[in-house]
Amino acid sequence: MSKIGIIMGSKSDLPVMQEAIDILNQFNIDIEVDIVSAHRTPEKLFDYGKNAHTRGFSVIIAGAGGAAHLPGMIASLSPLPVIGVPVKSSNSIDGWDSILSILQMPGGVPVATVALNGAKNAGILAAQIIGSSDAQVQEKIIAYKEDLKAKVLESSKTLEY
Amino acid sequence: MSKIGIIMGSKSDLPVMQEAIDILNQFNIDIEVDIVSAHRTPEKLFDYGKNAHTRGFSVIIAGAGGAAHLPGMIASLSPLPVIGVPVKSSNSIDGWDSILSILQMPGGVPVATVALNGAKNAGILAAQIIGSSDAQVQEKIIAYKEDLKAKVLESSKTLEY
Amino acid sequence: MSKIGIIMGSKSDLPVMQEAIDILNQFNIDIEVDIVSAHRTPEKLFDYGKNAHTRGFSVIIAGAGGAAHLPGMIASLSPLPVIGVPVKSSNSIDGWDSILSILQMPGGVPVATVALNGAKNAGILAAQIIGSSDAQVQEKIIAYKEDLKAKVLESSKTLEY
Amino acid sequence: MSKIGIIMGSKSDLPVMQEAIDILNQFNIDIEVDIVSAHRTPEKLFDYGKNAHTRGFSVIIAGAGGAAHLPGMIASLSPLPVIGVPVKSSNSIDGWDSILSILQMPGGVPVATVALNGAKNAGILAAQIIGSSDAQVQEKIIAYKEDLKAKVLESSKTLEY
Amino acid sequence: MSKIGIIMGSKSDLPVMQEAIDILNQFNIDIEVDIVSAHRTPEKLFDYGKNAHTRGFSVIIAGAGGAAHLPGMIASLSPLPVIGVPVKSSNSIDGWDSILSILQMPGGVPVATVALNGAKNAGILAAQIIGSSDAQVQEKIIAYKEDLKAKVLESSKTLEY
Amino acid sequence: MSKIGIIMGSKSDLPVMQEAIDILNQFNIDIEVDIVSAHRTPEKLFDYGKNAHTRGFSVIIAGAGGAAHLPGMIASLSPLPVIGVPVKSSNSIDGWDSILSILQMPGGVPVATVALNGAKNAGILAAQIIGSSDAQVQEKIIAYKEDLKAKVLESSKTLEY
Amino acid sequence: MSKIGIIMGSKSDLPVMQEAIDILNQFNIDIEVDIVSAHRTPEKLFDYGKNAHTRGFSVIIAGAGGAAHLPGMIASLSPLPVIGVPVKSSNSIDGWDSILSILQMPGGVPVATVALNGAKNAGILAAQIIGSSDAQVQEKIIAYKEDLKAKVLESSKTLEY
Amino acid sequence: MSKIGIIMGSKSDLPVMQEAIDILNQFNIDIEVDIVSAHRTPEKLFDYGKNAHTRGFSVIIAGAGGAAHLPGMIASLSPLPVIGVPVKSSNSIDGWDSILSILQMPGGVPVATVALNGAKNAGILAAQIIGSSDAQVQEKIIAYKEDLKAKVLESSKTLEY
């Protein structure tokens, strides 16, 4: 069965990345979580990127902040779709560096970038990718979207003005 | 077989979006190209988004510029993974509006955003998504990456200084 | 009599949008408030936009944050003047995404954009629009502006330095 | 009958502002065009702003670039709805100064801001404002939107790929 | 004797502008402080700007935030040197709107802009302007600069590392 | 009689700075023009800044681009009012670096900053500073402003639409 | 033996710059710390820059915020490599002014700029510079990098999800 | 003798990076130039970074554009000082992505960043680094700076105004 790799540059990114973990757990999709620092553990980065597709992963979610090289370097090394989560870390300039370092990849090496701190959306996107060839997972996405809708419709009933 | 939907907000986006068409043709992946304007053809947008997953599409690539609502609205309507291409159109402020309108989606509704004018990468990412459950397509991605590498190595031999 | 529709993408936008409600109540202009999420309730968005002008609305005020598609999509669907309020929501990058997603609409589909979190001004602008064909409402605007002036002149008397 | 005042800070803004003139002519809406410089003809600004609502205007469209004070000062002086067009003039920093000077008005004094160089949308918005109390003009807006739609649908038939 | 006019768009700007008051009091330069809102008291703005040079002022310091039109409109109306203080007010986008609205004046109508919230520097600049034709005031500036220097040199003696 | 020093960081800044020269010549105000590079001729910078007020200058206009240190360093060394012209030089990032390096001076050391490439306004501001203690020069400023006004009023007569 | 000069524009920069002090102490590299303000102690700046290379320094680390001229002016005066630390000081606009004032030096006069508030990295870079001709120091850098790696690998063992 | 490694992400960066080559040739410092793409030749990146310090290099200059990961990844792998040149490549957003991706490195892994397209300064900085332990090279830097000064002083003699 499909498995999603979730990695982040530092343990301090975990509070942001937890939302990807939670939503994929909610979808009952198998995950593996690890810390891989492009700048401090380049050998681990290399091994991770080179081997992920042979280790049963379908998608990799990589979160990092500041000069965020982790998603792009994994994308350089792996044929898998890589989802990048720009993290507004303590050393980031309001998130602009994180976004641009992840988004602006050169032709040939895409990273599927989500919103700043958008780890939940990274998880949903990973599920959608699996769902694009797995009808059961796609059904879960459809149900999830129906649930979002129901909650908004419900909340509008409570408006007082 | 998997099919990719490529849509854009205006025919003037075609020169940028052509790179997605070309790379997917090169990968022999089936595509369907259309113009869907969120702001001028909202009914077509609605139909497209609602029905894409039942019409055999696995992934949708949507390109738009300025206040670029097309990718996000398709993502709102479809359970498929949606790849957004921010286009630096003539009415865009150096591309910042296109990027932020596509990237900064709320929790629950992701758009996989690629670089400004990065339609080639959108095509490759779509292929990677198909490749995540189709070994033959993944092989093509691996070969493509090997080819990129060979070209760079070749180019370094021609350096004179 | 003229009625203003006030909508927002999420109940969390209400504290900002309340200022539009309050000022229109102060002007005794009829309002109807609802939550319409472009990304989570697209069918409601569609119905709302298509029918607003036949339901007695003269103007629509729409507030949203981040990749804020609500005002532009309503403008796509309705012939009414649409006022957009960029909300500095928790997922927004200092408001820049909200502003650009609302302001930078393509030719043919305007959104009357006000300042970041400028819901009070959205309410006043809606009143001015009604006042442009309703002398009584225009008188209220004139009186409101006189009142603003009087308060500033009064405050300058209390300066000590 | 309703009349729209179109003013701009300098004759060099005319090529941009011409689009507002053209679309309002197309809608057969009465206009009056003038040059009013907040910084070089402050007395004319004052007279214009103070008297516009008694001279038969329903809406004012004001375009300016750089530190663009014209729309906001007219809004300060007039009870009419004022539409601001940020112009990317030769002395502007990519339009950011024009946008922020027009958009970020304080509470109490709104300017309905359209996209950078969005004079066509300013004209359409002015027509929508008139249309909100004039069914005939609203019909023209509806027809205009149908026409936009038809053109996009037509253009999608010519796609070759 | 020379007198400096200090004005601000709102009483809420006083905590920032107080630094201009304090430094000019310290230099024993005559000041007059007032609240003049370009957007809420345009007539007072007009009177102030038209008459300042005949009322004994040598320099005007004007502080405002957001779409800050006060300094530029005073500069439009007065032949005096006008110093603009961009205020990071509660409705400003990190100060960028305040800075650009004050700085980017068109050719012919300068505003001497100081740093964001730089009211102290506005006061010193006003004193330097008076000092450029008044040797006694220039001496005070020279002494002030010597004092700044002495304090830095002193502080470096206390470094421990 | 008062004299204005005009300096720039490089001869390549002359086309921009020429506007300051021209307007001051037009006002018949004495000027002296020189090239002083903060980064390449620091000793000349030092001499210039230390001695300008004893050499008969009333005001210094300094233009520079990129990491533009010339205006601020002159302001550090001289008690005179220093006007900074941010130049959009070939190595500047759209002028943002030039503006921020000149504008954002620390408390105690102001630079009177004008718009990007705003050398004409720097010249007018210098004249206004002289005019604040020289009625004859102030008269020229008043006449100049009248002339600006007349030209705008004239241009509005030629509008055809 | 090699010595590093660490200077900053104000004692208020010390909490940021302390990280450079700490890391160089940890590497047992000789340092000298001082406060040198480009804008308030220009003579000290001049002496420091002119003489640093004859006083036994190998590298200078200079930290400053806002219109940060200290690193660039030292680079103007000294043949030594100068490392600039942009400080997000209280008067800085989110650090953008500090970064651009230090980074965007003209051709001929480099400043080795590190990340916003990146004083630790400035210290490491200084050590790397010494290490480029001193094998013992280079060994310390290698050991430091190994230690960083070990800590990350350790932290990944503690992940629970 | 010391040797400088100059690498770039693509042959298209050569016109910018040529200035580093030229200035180091002018200083008679040994260089080796290569193309190393972080995203297309990750194995070569790895080998280069791991072995540079044992291959006789003292400093590495790395230039790249867009999501520019080359300098930071080399810094991750090598104990040598790494100088990063942000290149304004065709896929870059006015250079902001290149700058932030290179500059904003996390604590522990510095990159000495120079100005956008500042390859000449990268070369000079590399020479200064060598010069910090090699008196002969430092003499060349001093002479170079004298020459810059002489050229500016000469150019100021040719001013006509």
Side-chain angles (χ1 to χ4, degrees):
Chain A
M1 194 207 146
S2 291
K3 195 172 55 172
I4 309 287
I6 300 178
I7 55 178
M8 61 203 83
S10 157
K11 203 174 172 184
S12 64
D13 297 326
L14 188 57
V16 167
M17 297 305 291
Q18 186 68 40
E19 290 197 89
I21 297 171
D22 292 347
I23 194 82
L24 286 167
N25 282 339
Q26 184 181 326
F27 286 138
N28 275 318
I29 292 175
D30 215 20
I31 59 172
E32 192 186 296
V33 184
D34 207 349
I35 294 175
V36 180
S37 168
H39 298 125
R40 290 171 294 163
T41 63
E43 293 86 357
K44 186 173 178 182
L45 164 84
F46 223 74
D47 289 345
Y48 194 98
K50 285 300 239 186
N51 300 317
H53 67 295
T54 62
R55 286 179 52 220
F57 290 115
S58 308
V59 183
I60 301 170
I61 296 173
H69 297 177
L70 180 64
M73 287 309 300
I74 292 289
S76 157
L77 292 158
S78 173
L80 293 174
V82 176
I83 301 172
V85 182
V87 176
K88 190 171 168 176
S89 52
S90 62
N91 69 319
S92 167
I93 309 181
D94 294 333
W96 293 108
D97 40 10
S98 316
I99 287 175
L100 292 173
S101 299
I102 293 177
L103 182 72
Q104 284 295 102
M105 291 292 290
V109 190
V111 169
T113 311
V114 294
L116 186 63
N117 280 356
K120 181 198 270 192
N121 276 357
I124 297 169
L125 180 58
Q128 288 175 321
I129 288 173
I130 293 180
S132 76
S133 68
D134 176 334
Q136 226 173 337
V137 171
Q138 193 172 78
E139 280 308 314
K140 286 182 193 171
I141 299 288
I142 291 170
Y144 175 77
K145 289 172 90 78
E146 285 303 315
D147 190 50
L148 283 181
K149 184 183 306 184
K151 279 180 185 147
V152 173
L153 295 176
E154 198 59 36
S155 80
S156 72
K157 292 185 192 153
T158 66
L159 271 182
E160 287 172 27
Y161 57 97
Chain B
M1 194 208 146
S2 291
K3 193 171 57 171
I4 309 286
I6 300 178
I7 54 178
M8 61 204 82
S10 158
K11 202 173 173 184
S12 64
D13 298 325
L14 189 56
V16 167
M17 297 306 292
Q18 186 68 40
E19 289 196 89
I21 298 171
D22 291 347
I23 194 83
L24 286 166
N25 282 339
Q26 184 181 326
F27 286 138
N28 275 318
I29 291 175
D30 214 20
I31 60 172
E32 191 185 294
V33 184
D34 207 348
I35 294 174
V36 179
S37 167
H39 298 125
R40 289 170 295 163
T41 64
E43 293 86 358
K44 186 173 179 183
L45 164 84
F46 222 74
D47 289 345
Y48 194 97
K50 285 299 239 185
N51 300 317
H53 67 294
T54 62
R55 286 179 51 221
F57 290 115
S58 309
V59 183
I60 301 169
I61 296 172
H69 296 177
L70 180 64
M73 286 310 299
I74 292 289
S76 156
L77 292 158
S78 173
L80 293 174
V82 176
I83 300 172
V85 181
V87 175
K88 190 171 168 177
S89 53
S90 63
N91 68 317
S92 167
I93 309 181
D94 293 333
W96 293 108
D97 42 10
S98 317
I99 286 175
L100 292 174
S101 300
I102 293 176
L103 182 72
Q104 284 294 102
M105 290 293 288
V109 191
V111 168
T113 311
V114 294
L116 187 63
N117 280 356
K120 182 198 269 192
N121 276 357
I124 296 169
L125 180 58
Q128 287 175 320
I129 289 173
I130 294 180
S132 75
S133 65
D134 176 335
Q136 226 174 338
V137 171
Q138 193 171 78
E139 280 308 313
K140 286 183 193 169
I141 298 289
I142 291 170
Y144 175 77
K145 288 172 91 78
E146 286 302 315
D147 191 49
L148 283 182
K149 183 182 307 183
K151 279 180 185 146
V152 173
L153 296 176
E154 199 58 37
S155 80
S156 71
K157 294 187 191 150
T158 65
L159 273 182
E160 288 172 26
Y161 57 98
Chain C
M1 194 206 146
S2 290
K3 195 171 55 172
I4 309 287
I6 300 178
I7 54 178
M8 61 203 82
S10 158
K11 202 174 173 183
S12 64
D13 298 326
L14 189 56
V16 166
M17 297 306 291
Q18 187 67 40
E19 290 197 87
I21 297 172
D22 291 347
I23 194 84
L24 286 167
N25 281 339
Q26 184 181 325
F27 285 139
N28 274 319
I29 292 175
D30 215 20
I31 60 173
E32 191 185 294
V33 184
D34 207 348
I35 294 175
V36 179
S37 167
H39 298 124
R40 289 170 295 163
T41 62
E43 293 85 357
K44 186 173 177 181
L45 165 84
F46 222 74
D47 289 345
Y48 195 98
K50 285 300 240 187
N51 300 317
H53 68 294
T54 63
R55 286 179 52 221
F57 291 116
S58 308
V59 182
I60 300 170
I61 295 173
H69 297 176
L70 180 64
M73 287 309 300
I74 292 289
S76 156
L77 292 158
S78 174
L80 294 174
V82 176
I83 300 172
V85 182
V87 176
K88 190 172 168 175
S89 52
S90 62
N91 69 317
S92 167
I93 309 182
D94 295 332
W96 293 108
D97 41 10
S98 316
I99 287 175
L100 292 174
S101 299
I102 294 177
L103 182 72
Q104 285 294 104
M105 291 292 290
V109 190
V111 169
T113 311
V114 293
L116 187 63
N117 281 355
K120 182 198 270 192
N121 275 357
I124 296 169
L125 180 58
Q128 287 175 321
I129 288 172
I130 294 180
S132 76
S133 66
D134 177 335
Q136 225 172 339
V137 171
Q138 193 172 78
E139 280 308 313
K140 287 182 193 172
I141 299 288
I142 292 171
Y144 175 78
K145 290 171 91 78
E146 285 303 315
D147 191 50
L148 283 181
K149 184 183 305 182
K151 280 181 185 147
V152 172
L153 296 176
E154 198 58 36
S155 81
S156 72
K157 292 186 193 151
T158 66
L159 271 182
E160 288 172 26
Y161 57 96
Chain D
M1 195 206 144
S2 291
K3 193 171 57 172
I4 310 286
I6 300 177
I7 55 180
M8 62 204 82
S10 157
K11 202 173 173 183
S12 64
D13 299 325
L14 189 56
V16 166
M17 297 305 292
Q18 186 68 40
E19 289 197 89
I21 297 171
D22 291 347
I23 194 83
L24 286 166
N25 281 339
Q26 185 182 324
F27 286 138
N28 275 318
I29 292 175
D30 215 19
I31 60 173
E32 190 186 295
V33 184
D34 207 349
I35 294 174
V36 180
S37 167
H39 298 125
R40 290 170 293 163
T41 63
E43 293 86 357
K44 186 173 179 181
L45 164 84
F46 222 74
D47 289 345
Y48 195 97
K50 285 299 237 187
N51 300 317
H53 67 294
T54 62
R55 286 180 50 221
F57 290 115
S58 309
V59 183
I60 301 169
I61 296 172
H69 297 176
L70 180 64
M73 287 310 300
I74 291 290
S76 158
L77 292 157
S78 173
L80 293 174
V82 176
I83 300 172
V85 181
V87 175
K88 190 171 168 177
S89 53
S90 63
N91 68 318
S92 167
I93 308 181
D94 294 332
W96 293 108
D97 41 10
S98 317
I99 287 175
L100 292 174
S101 300
I102 293 177
L103 182 73
Q104 284 294 103
M105 291 292 289
V109 190
V111 168
T113 311
V114 295
L116 188 63
N117 281 354
K120 181 199 270 191
N121 276 357
I124 296 169
L125 180 58
Q128 287 175 320
I129 288 173
I130 293 180
S132 76
S133 65
D134 177 335
Q136 225 173 339
V137 171
Q138 193 171 78
E139 280 308 313
K140 286 182 192 170
I141 298 288
I142 292 170
Y144 175 77
K145 289 172 91 78
E146 286 303 315
D147 190 50
L148 283 181
K149 184 183 306 183
K151 279 180 185 146
V152 173
L153 295 176
E154 198 58 36
S155 81
S156 71
K157 293 187 192 150
T158 65
L159 273 181
E160 288 172 26
Y161 59 96
Chain E
M1 193 205 145
S2 290
K3 195 171 55 171
I4 310 287
I6 300 178
I7 55 179
M8 61 203 83
S10 157
K11 203 175 172 183
S12 64
D13 298 326
L14 188 56
V16 167
M17 298 305 291
Q18 186 68 40
E19 290 197 87
I21 297 171
D22 291 347
I23 194 83
L24 286 167
N25 281 339
Q26 184 181 325
F27 285 138
N28 276 318
I29 292 176
D30 215 19
I31 60 173
E32 190 186 295
V33 184
D34 207 349
I35 294 175
V36 179
S37 167
H39 298 124
R40 290 171 293 162
T41 62
E43 293 85 357
K44 186 173 178 182
L45 164 84
F46 222 73
D47 288 345
Y48 194 98
K50 285 299 239 187
N51 300 317
H53 67 294
T54 62
R55 287 179 50 221
F57 290 116
S58 308
V59 183
I60 301 169
I61 296 173
H69 297 176
L70 180 64
M73 287 309 300
I74 292 289
S76 156
L77 292 157
S78 173
L80 293 174
V82 176
I83 300 173
V85 181
V87 175
K88 190 172 167 175
S89 53
S90 62
N91 70 318
S92 166
I93 309 181
D94 293 334
W96 292 108
D97 41 10
S98 316
I99 287 175
L100 292 174
S101 300
I102 293 177
L103 182 72
Q104 285 293 105
M105 291 292 290
V109 190
V111 168
T113 310
V114 293
L116 187 63
N117 281 355
K120 182 198 269 192
N121 276 358
I124 296 169
L125 180 58
Q128 288 175 321
I129 289 173
I130 293 180
S132 76
S133 67
D134 176 335
Q136 225 173 338
V137 171
Q138 193 172 78
E139 280 308 312
K140 287 182 192 170
I141 298 288
I142 292 171
Y144 175 78
K145 289 171 92 77
E146 286 302 315
D147 190 50
L148 283 181
K149 184 183 306 182
K151 280 181 185 146
V152 172
L153 296 176
E154 198 59 35
S155 81
S156 72
K157 292 185 192 153
T158 66
L159 271 182
E160 289 172 24
Y161 57 95
Chain F
M1 194 206 144
S2 291
K3 193 171 58 171
I4 310 286
I6 300 178
I7 55 178
M8 61 204 83
S10 158
K11 202 174 173 182
S12 64
D13 298 324
L14 188 56
V16 167
M17 297 306 292
Q18 186 67 41
E19 290 196 88
I21 298 170
D22 292 346
I23 194 84
L24 286 166
N25 282 340
Q26 184 182 325
F27 286 138
N28 274 319
I29 292 175
D30 214 20
I31 59 173
E32 190 186 295
V33 184
D34 207 348
I35 294 174
V36 179
S37 167
H39 299 124
R40 290 170 295 164
T41 63
E43 294 85 358
K44 186 173 179 182
L45 164 83
F46 223 74
D47 289 345
Y48 195 97
K50 284 300 239 186
N51 300 316
H53 67 294
T54 61
R55 286 180 51 220
F57 290 115
S58 309
V59 182
I60 301 169
I61 295 173
H69 297 176
L70 179 64
M73 286 310 299
I74 292 289
S76 157
L77 292 157
S78 173
L80 293 174
V82 176
I83 300 172
V85 182
V87 175
K88 190 171 168 177
S89 52
S90 63
N91 69 318
S92 167
I93 308 181
D94 294 333
W96 294 109
D97 42 9
S98 316
I99 286 175
L100 291 174
S101 300
I102 293 176
L103 182 71
Q104 284 294 104
M105 291 293 288
V109 191
V111 168
T113 311
V114 295
L116 187 63
N117 281 355
K120 182 198 271 192
N121 276 358
I124 296 169
L125 180 58
Q128 287 176 321
I129 288 172
I130 294 180
S132 76
S133 66
D134 177 336
Q136 226 173 340
V137 171
Q138 193 172 77
E139 279 309 312
K140 286 183 192 169
I141 298 288
I142 291 170
Y144 175 78
K145 288 172 92 77
E146 286 303 315
D147 191 49
L148 283 182
K149 184 183 307 184
K151 279 180 186 147
V152 173
L153 296 176
E154 197 58 36
S155 80
S156 72
K157 293 189 192 148
T158 65
L159 272 183
E160 289 172 24
Y161 57 95
Chain G
M1 195 205 145
S2 290
K3 195 172 56 172
I4 310 287
I6 300 178
I7 55 178
M8 60 203 83
S10 158
K11 202 174 173 183
S12 64
D13 298 326
L14 188 56
V16 167
M17 298 305 291
Q18 186 68 40
E19 290 197 87
I21 297 171
D22 292 346
I23 194 83
L24 287 167
N25 282 338
Q26 184 181 325
F27 286 139
N28 275 319
I29 292 175
D30 216 19
I31 60 173
E32 191 186 294
V33 185
D34 207 349
I35 295 174
V36 180
S37 167
H39 298 126
R40 289 170 294 164
T41 63
E43 293 87 357
K44 186 173 178 181
L45 164 84
F46 222 74
D47 288 346
Y48 194 98
K50 284 299 238 188
N51 300 317
H53 67 294
T54 62
R55 286 180 51 221
F57 290 116
S58 309
V59 182
I60 300 169
I61 296 173
H69 297 176
L70 180 64
M73 287 310 299
I74 292 289
S76 156
L77 292 157
S78 174
L80 293 174
V82 176
I83 300 173
V85 182
V87 176
K88 190 171 167 175
S89 53
S90 63
N91 69 318
S92 166
I93 309 181
D94 294 333
W96 293 109
D97 41 10
S98 316
I99 286 175
L100 293 174
S101 299
I102 293 177
L103 183 71
Q104 284 295 104
M105 291 293 289
V109 190
V111 168
T113 310
V114 293
L116 186 64
N117 281 355
K120 181 197 270 192
N121 276 357
I124 296 169
L125 180 58
Q128 287 176 321
I129 289 172
I130 294 180
S132 76
S133 67
D134 176 336
Q136 226 173 338
V137 171
Q138 193 171 79
E139 279 308 314
K140 287 182 192 170
I141 298 288
I142 291 171
Y144 175 77
K145 290 172 91 77
E146 285 303 314
D147 190 50
L148 282 181
K149 184 182 304 182
K151 279 181 185 147
V152 173
L153 296 175
E154 198 60 35
S155 80
S156 72
K157 292 185 192 153
T158 66
L159 270 182
E160 289 171 26
Y161 58 97
Chain H
M1 195 207 144
S2 290
K3 192 172 57 172
I4 310 286
I6 300 177
I7 55 179
M8 60 205 83
S10 157
K11 203 175 172 181
S12 64
D13 299 325
L14 188 56
V16 167
M17 297 306 292
Q18 186 68 41
E19 290 196 89
I21 298 170
D22 292 346
I23 194 83
L24 285 167
N25 281 339
Q26 185 182 323
F27 286 138
N28 274 318
I29 292 175
D30 214 20
I31 60 173
E32 191 186 296
V33 184
D34 207 348
I35 294 174
V36 179
S37 168
H39 298 125
R40 290 171 294 163
T41 63
E43 293 86 358
K44 186 173 178 182
L45 164 83
F46 222 73
D47 288 345
Y48 194 97
K50 285 300 239 185
N51 300 317
H53 67 295
T54 62
R55 286 180 51 221
F57 290 115
S58 308
V59 183
I60 301 169
I61 295 173
H69 297 177
L70 180 64
M73 287 310 299
I74 292 289
S76 157
L77 293 157
S78 173
L80 293 174
V82 176
I83 300 172
V85 182
V87 175
K88 190 170 167 176
S89 53
S90 63
N91 68 317
S92 167
I93 309 181
D94 294 332
W96 293 109
D97 41 10
S98 316
I99 287 175
L100 292 174
S101 299
I102 293 177
L103 182 72
Q104 284 295 103
M105 291 293 288
V109 191
V111 168
T113 311
V114 294
L116 187 63
N117 281 355
K120 181 198 270 191
N121 275 357
I124 297 168
L125 179 58
Q128 288 175 321
I129 288 172
I130 293 180
S132 76
S133 66
D134 176 336
Q136 226 173 337
V137 172
Q138 194 172 78
E139 279 308 314
K140 286 183 192 169
I141 298 289
I142 291 170
Y144 175 77
K145 289 171 91 77
E146 286 302 317
D147 191 50
L148 283 182
K149 185 183 306 183
K151 279 181 184 145
V152 173
L153 295 176
E154 198 58 37
S155 80
S156 72
K157 293 188 191 148
T158 66
L159 272 183
E160 288 172 26
Y161 57 96

